Amino acid sequence: MMFADRAEAGRLLAAQLEHLRNENPVVLGLPRGGVPVAYQVARALGAPLDVILVRKLGVPSHRELGFGAIGEGGVRLVHEHIVAMSRADDAALAAVERTEEAELRRQAERFRRGRERVPVEDRTAIVVDDGIATGATASVACRVARAQGAAKVVLAVPVAPPDAAAALRVEVDELVCLSTPAAFFAVGEWYEDFSQTPDSEVVDLLAQNTVPARPHDPVEPAYPSDPADPPETEIRREVEIPVPSDRVRLPGDLRVPAGAPGIVAFAHGSGSSRHSPRNRAVATALNEAGLGTLLFDLLTPDEELDRANVFDVETLARRLAEATRVLRREQRVPVGYFGASTGAAAALWAAAEGSAEGNGIAAVVSRGGRPDLAGPKLGDVRAPTLLIVGGRDETVVDLNRQAQSRMMCENRLAVIPGATHLFEEPGALDAVSDLARDWFLDHFKAHSGR
């Protein structure tokens, strides 16, 4: 499918988004090229328009090669394999982030001209760009919308390569893409006119769209706050985990079905958060099986800017233990841990500490984890532990086998054939969910019977 220009692409895209008209949407365009497309969508739906600001993080020695991206509100995405390949030191990477953070602030002033950001809380956020190449920027933009409180995030683009579209589809509530050509080299090849969009055009389009966001009929959020839920109904609410030793409070999403035999606290990995689509997918599967879940952030947005913090397993474990104490005060049921990447090390560390203190964790599940980073604590873990890894994630398979050999508790290594580190292959994440569900159900029952 060829597009005459961004305006035509926007009109065609709007026709496929008509079903969202009654969801009180806010349209968010990625500057610069995404804004002319987003303008047509907002105009057709009668929705307010704003920019959503994201900056690519370029490798210091090769700035065109992105090692991640950042967005407003401290949201960040880092590709650890590119960081490792670049061999750049932490100081150089931090300098890149500081530069791009300053540019984010400048863009906000330049494009909005003093206007307040259009609020997306409890609304449907439609994130729009003129096309996708790798998907890194769009991914962070959707995370920004989620972090700003959007109840539903829709990514809408005219064109994208099939692999990028497939990867993004699992990160958002809905992906609308008009064309996914197999022979894809660049976004511009699918436009007859792909001339650069100047800043002045972005400013003019934003100024022309003056539709206010309706203050009524919000879309029900995935985890609405309702601390007054009666005990016989499912609990869904936002919580804050106090960590007095670090003088921080960490936001989280708690969901406890009526009669839940236990609650699983999620410990996310580096560069991720409680909004991780993979962890949320697993949490939903656990909820459907009657298990409670707590997804919460182990670090504040400011702390995440220092990459050393995401590998500070002892601190992450301490915060997970604080969350466990909060859960046990509120819900007198067994607690388990689900850890991903470095979060798995934190989960095992916290489980070992809990065993030493007489506060045993019922079960631990690791997804694509780095249990080796909990090295000195592995032999102290008493919680039954399931290690899940992808068959094609060979380095992590080896690390898990080495860690397993040092564990004295009941444990099992489950290798999912054909799966890579992020379990993006069809059916791979479903297999993770099924394994985790069965492990927790079996061991919560056994733990309760003690």
Side-chain angles (χ1 to χ4, degrees), residues 39-112:
Y39 174 78
Q40 298 296 332
V41 173
R43 182 180 178 185
L45 299 182
L49 173 68
D50 199 359
V51 287
I52 188 160
L53 300 175
V54 175
R55 295 290 300 174
K56 181 177 77 173
L57 300 174
V59 171
S61 60
H62 184 33
R63 297 304 289 268
E64 289 303 312
L65 175 61
F67 69 86
I70 59 172
E72 290 180 289
V75 180
R76 64 198 295 268
L77 172 67
V78 174
H79 299 297
E80 298 294 346
H81 66 288
I82 297 180
V83 170
M85 181 180 67
S86 73
R87 299 184 179 179
D89 59 36
D90 289 344
L93 296 173
V96 171
E97 291 201 28
R98 286 194 298 271
T99 298
E100 297 305 335
E101 286 167 1
E103 180 58 25
L104 277 179
R105 292 191 292 271
R106 285 193 292 270
Q107 282 191 345
E109 176 58 32
R110 184 162 68 245
F111 293 138
R112 295 196 181 107

Side-chain angles (χ1 to χ4, degrees), residues 28 50 81 94 96 102 166 177 212 230 246 253 263 279 282-283 287 292-293 302 305 353 445:
L28 305 170
D50 199 359
H81 66 288
V96 171
C177 182
D246 297 335
D253 299 324
I263 299 176
N279 281 351
V282 174
N287 295 150
T293 55
D302 287 341
L305 295 177
E353 294 278 323
K445 181 178 179 181

Side-chain angles (χ1 to χ4, degrees), residues 310-431:
V310 304
F311 292 98
D312 185 353
V313 175
E314 185 172 1
T315 294
L316 301 180
R318 183 176 67 250
R319 293 183 175 185
L320 185 57
E322 294 285 358
T324 305
R325 283 188 275 274
V326 170
L327 284 175
R328 283 180 167 147
R329 283 198 298 268
E330 282 199 11
Q331 310 288 327
R332 298 185 181 279
V333 294
V335 175
Y337 293 152
F338 183 94
S341 189
T342 52
L348 290 167
W349 191 299
E353 294 278 323
S355 297
E357 296 169 3
N359 298 316
I361 295 301
V364 176
V365 173
S366 162
R367 172 182 66 81
R370 292 290 309 276
D372 55 297
L373 297 178
K377 297 291 184 179
L378 284 174
D380 297 329
V381 177
R382 295 294 175 263
T385 300
L386 173 64
L387 306 171
I388 306 174
V389 291
R392 293 168 58 192
D393 194 9
E394 296 177 359
T395 299
V396 175
V397 170
D398 289 341
L399 291 172
N400 275 256
R401 284 184 174 137
Q402 293 170 27
Q404 185 186 25
S405 68
R406 300 168 61 185
M407 300 177 72
M408 308 299 292
C409 60
E410 175 190 352
N411 63 77
R412 175 187 167 198
L413 176 63
V415 179
I416 298 179
T420 51
H421 185 63
L422 295 180
F423 298 90
E424 297 174 303
E425 295 72 24
L429 198 58
D430 290 337

Side-chain angles (χ1 to χ4, degrees), residues 66-317:
F67 69 86
I70 59 172
E72 290 180 289
V75 180
R76 64 198 295 268
L77 172 67
V78 174
H79 299 297
E80 298 294 346
H81 66 288
I82 297 180
V83 170
M85 181 180 67
S86 73
R87 299 184 179 179
D89 59 36
D90 289 344
L93 296 173
V96 171
E97 291 201 28
R98 286 194 298 271
T99 298
E100 297 305 335
E101 286 167 1
E103 180 58 25
L104 277 179
R105 292 191 292 271
R106 285 193 292 270
Q107 282 191 345
E109 176 58 32
R110 184 162 68 245
F111 293 138
R112 295 196 181 107
R113 298 293 176 94
R115 292 189 300 271
E116 292 295 321
R117 176 178 62 83
V118 175
V120 300
E121 290 82 359
D122 296 340
R123 303 179 188 278
T124 293
I126 305 176
V127 179
V128 179
D129 204 357
D130 55 7
I132 288 172
T134 65
T137 303
S139 175
V140 175
C142 292
R143 293 188 189 193
V144 170
R146 189 87 69 184
Q148 290 174 350
K152 179 178 180 179
V153 177
V154 177
L155 177 60
V157 293
V159 61
D163 55 344
L168 288 165
R169 195 178 301 278
V170 300
E171 295 194 23
V172 295
D173 297 298
E174 184 177 350
L175 172 68
V176 177
C177 182
L178 301 180
S179 179
T180 54
F184 186 101
F185 298 100
V187 172
E189 68 177 319
W190 303 100
Y191 286 83
E192 294 175 9
D193 177 4
F194 196 66
S195 54
Q196 187 174 3
T197 303
D199 287 355
S200 58
E201 182 178 350
V202 174
V203 172
D204 289 344
L205 292 173
L206 292 174
Q208 289 178 44
N209 184 283
T210 57
V211 177
R214 298 196 303 272
H216 57 281
D217 297 333
V219 176
E220 182 181 354
Y223 293 87
S225 177
D226 187 6
D229 277 336
E232 68 272 10
T233 64
E234 179 181 68
I235 296 172
R236 292 192 186 193
R237 71 172 183 261
E238 296 175 2
V239 296
E240 283 194 334
I241 308 299
V243 186
S245 59
D246 297 335
R247 298 181 180 180
V248 299
R249 299 180 71 86
L250 303 170
D253 299 324
L254 177 66
R255 182 176 178 184
V256 186
I263 299 176
V264 179
F266 281 67
H268 57 74
S270 59
S272 186
S273 75
R274 72 186 190 281
H275 300 297
S276 161
R278 293 174 182 84
N279 281 351
R280 290 175 75 89
V282 174
T284 297
L286 298 183
N287 295 150
E288 290 173 350
L291 297 171
T293 55
L294 171 67
L295 294 102
F296 77 107
D297 290 341
L298 292 167
L299 297 170
T300 67
D302 287 341
E303 289 172 333
E304 287 181 344
L305 295 177
D306 183 351
R307 290 186 61 254
N309 288 331
V310 304
F311 292 98
D312 185 353
V313 175
E314 185 172 1
T315 294
L316 301 180

